[in-house]
Amino acid sequence: MSEQETQLPKEPISVYAMMSMMLEQMTELSWSKMGLRPDPITGEMAPDLGEAKAAIDLVSHLATALDGQLDEEDRKKIHSIVRDLKINYVVKSKEAHS
Amino acid sequence: MSIRHRRISAISISPSLVARTIGNRVKSVTKARTTAKVTTAESITARREELVAFYECYENFVECVCDAAQYGPLTRLEDSYTRNRSAALDKLNALGQWARAFVRLEGKSEEIIDPFSELFAPENLADFLHSDDGLSIERITLTREALNLYGEHLRQLAARIS
């Protein structure tokens, strides 16, 4: 084992920290699947509203699960993110159906 | 003593009295400005609190409507719609005159005249979905933008006074 690895603090993994990371990643993916940002892997636009809906639903569930762990400012930020995603999803859905 | 000198003597005021009078005037002007400043600061704080309170029920209302667009008028969404619409309308009475000043209708659909009133017009969620003329999202965008601009305006006012 390298010297650096032995110096890293060993703490149990936090579920809430993982959920925060997942929320960030799924938020980015939501924007990408709505066709509002390029795909993080290919760098190209690859909209898929079905996957966008799944990603947004997951972001919403994660936000609810994290609610009790956040201070007021972070709670408002995350709720604002969820609402932005939902509003944009409705816009994109209407565009797709029109 | 000439008449001119007598007139000047007659109307002369002692220097100490002059100083006290000017001093009083300066004090009263300063006090008036401070009172006005405090009153203005209190009024801005009150308006910011009104905006924060309105924004919370407004955002809950918007989220409810967006969820309903996907899932329909579920019972829990209908309850949320009623609750948040009622709270928002109550707060809009005080806030509306300020927030409406920041609505930017240029380049938007001509059918939209007062996006705040139009957004909250349907009495229940089922009516909202049924009566949707395709402009709900535009009304949401307009009202959100107006609220953000109004909030920024109050922040700048507060910064100028402090």
Side-chain angles (χ1 to χ4, degrees):
Chain A
M1 199 182 289
S2 71
E3 197 176 317
Q4 221 171 2
E5 281 173 303
T6 56
Q7 285 175 357
L8 287 170
K10 290 185 182 169
E11 288 175 9
I13 195 162
S14 161
V15 168
Y16 298 111
M18 287 298 293
M19 285 164 76
S20 292
M21 277 171 51
M22 284 173 65
L23 189 144
E24 270 185 51
Q25 289 171 346
M26 295 313 296
T27 300
E28 280 305 307
L29 209 47
S30 299
W31 292 118
S32 167
K33 293 300 179 183
M34 283 193 280
L36 292 169
R37 282 187 197 163
D39 183 84
I41 304 295
T42 66
E44 291 171 4
M45 293 299 197
D48 184 327
L49 286 182
E51 290 199 14
K53 184 176 182 306
I56 293 168
D57 283 347
L58 183 53
V59 171
S60 182
H61 287 309
L62 287 169
T64 304
L66 282 167
D67 206 57
Q69 305 300 315
L70 302 169
D71 61 30
E72 190 59 24
E73 198 178 324
D74 284 342
R75 197 180 67 81
K76 283 182 180 173
K77 271 186 202 162
I78 285 180
H79 279 253
S80 182
I81 287 169
V82 171
R83 283 175 196 126
D84 283 344
L85 288 172
K86 287 183 176 182
I87 288 172
N88 279 279
Y89 178 79
V90 170
V91 170
K92 287 297 173 187
S93 294
K94 287 190 183 250
E95 284 173 8
H97 288 115
S98 61
Chain B
M1 194 187 294
S2 70
I3 293 172
R4 183 164 169 266
H5 282 132
R6 279 207 295 274
R7 277 187 185 158
I8 290 170
S9 315
I11 65 172
S12 69
I13 302 171
S14 74
S16 61
L17 183 58
V18 169
R20 282 207 303 277
T21 306
I22 291 174
N24 285 346
R25 286 211 303 269
V26 168
K27 274 186 203 168
S28 68
V29 165
T30 307
K31 187 181 175 188
R33 278 193 189 146
T34 306
T35 306
K37 200 172 173 180
V38 166
T39 307
T40 306
E42 282 169 355
S43 128
I44 290 172
T45 302
R47 283 163 61 183
R48 287 180 93 177
E49 285 169 1
E50 265 173 12
L51 178 59
V52 166
F54 175 80
Y55 202 76
E56 182 156 352
C57 42
Y58 164 86
E59 285 283 280
N60 289 336
F61 176 91
V62 165
E63 187 171 351
C64 169
V65 159
C66 288
D67 283 344
Q70 289 187 62
Y71 303 114
L74 303 175
T75 307
R76 63 173 178 87
L77 294 178
E78 195 65 81
D79 291 344
S80 173
Y81 181 94
T82 305
R83 192 171 57 249
N84 287 296
R85 175 181 177 265
S86 172
L89 281 173
D90 184 50
K91 291 164 178 52
L92 193 61
N93 285 331
L95 182 100
Q97 58 173 328
W98 309 107
R100 284 184 172 98
F102 292 91
V103 171
R104 293 181 173 171
L105 292 173
E106 303 81 37
K108 303 296 179 189
S109 303
E110 287 177 1
E111 293 93 333
I112 299 177
I113 298 167
D114 176 5
F116 280 100
S117 299
E118 291 158 20
L119 193 60
F120 293 112
E123 290 187 4
N124 58 57
L125 187 53
D127 283 350
F128 186 101
L129 295 172
H130 183 70
S131 64
D132 183 20
D133 54 1
L135 300 174
S136 297
I137 292 295
E138 204 167 341
R139 290 187 182 100
I140 289 171
T141 308
L142 282 167
T143 49
R144 257 184 150 205
E145 184 191 43
L147 291 169
N148 287 334
L149 287 171
Y150 176 47
E152 185 53 37
H153 169 74
L154 290 177
R155 269 189 290 278
Q156 289 182 11
L157 276 181
R160 255 186 260 160
I161 285 174
S162 61

